[in-house]
Amino acid sequence: MIKSQGWDWNVVSGNFREIWKNPSVESYYLLNRWQGQNKKEFLDLGCGLGRHSILFGKNHFNVFCFDIKEEAINKTKEWAEEENLVLNYQIGDMLSLPYENESIDCIMCRNVINHTDTEGVKKVINEIYRVLKHNGECFLTFCSKDSWAYKMDWPKVDANTMKKMEEGPEYGVPHFYADYDLLMELFKDFEIINLEHVGNFYMHGDERVTSYHFHLLIRKA
Ligand SMILES: C[S@@+](CC[C@H](N)C(=O)[O-])C[C@H]1O[C@@H](n2cnc3c(N)ncnc32)[C@H](O)[C@@H]1O
């Protein structure tokens, strides 16, 4: 299995950094949904700068912030202290989560699980299954094979995984790409609540490109 790497947050600045400080659109839906289900233990799996940890912390969830990068955890902690929030912090690799079996109600794993290879993705899914309580839910995003980047001639790691060779925080970081059938196979032990294929349009140099992601909401039934 390929070595886990994480993001280099030190090279993320300006407008790009601001994006990672604002909660994602779907996080408000999940907040509302999980409050309605009286969920309490929230795991921000690959928390980055902490935008979702802060959102859920402010809304009285018991938040577990987890990331492989010390600087991500430090930044999340700094932000939480400014907001007078008491959260739980852990540095580690998503391949092996430091939480008890059936201890977590809900998990946000946005733009994270794709940072390993096929074997790694299977391990993380097993870990998510292990730590979720019965009826626990998890939101994940996956890079789609329909994305422009999947057509790039970057070094292959396995049939679904490439190293992203683009300057920035993910340089050399493995990226796993999925399609519908692969996701169905990977999540056969879960109930699929919702699956969307979302396109983001942007300029890459002079070229207009589209990145697609799967947004997946699952339940441990
Ligand atoms: C694109 S950022 C997303 C951050 C956050 N989920 C958000 O939506 O703002 C990906 C994060 O996943 C972390 N990460 C990557 N591989 C990881 C691993 N093997 N274990 C834990 N965290 C990892 C990175 O360090 C980075 O902070």
Side-chain angles (χ1 to χ4, degrees), residues 48-62:
L49 301 180
R51 57 184 179 156
H52 300 124
S53 295
I54 300 296
L55 177 69
F56 279 77
K58 278 183 176 173
N59 283 281
H60 315 298
F61 281 74
N62 185 20

Side-chain angles (χ1 to χ4, degrees), residues 15 38 44 65 68-69 73 77 87 92-93 127 132-133 144 146 162 167 172 184 187 190 193 200:
N15 283 346
N38 289 322
D44 194 357
C65 315
I68 196 169
K69 287 293 193 167
I73 292 294
K77 199 171 183 180
L87 312 181
D93 192 331
E127 282 295 84
L132 270 182
K133 293 182 191 172
S144 162
D146 289 337
M162 303 191 293
E167 287 307 318
M184 289 303 110
F187 288 95
F190 290 86
I193 299 169
N200 296 99

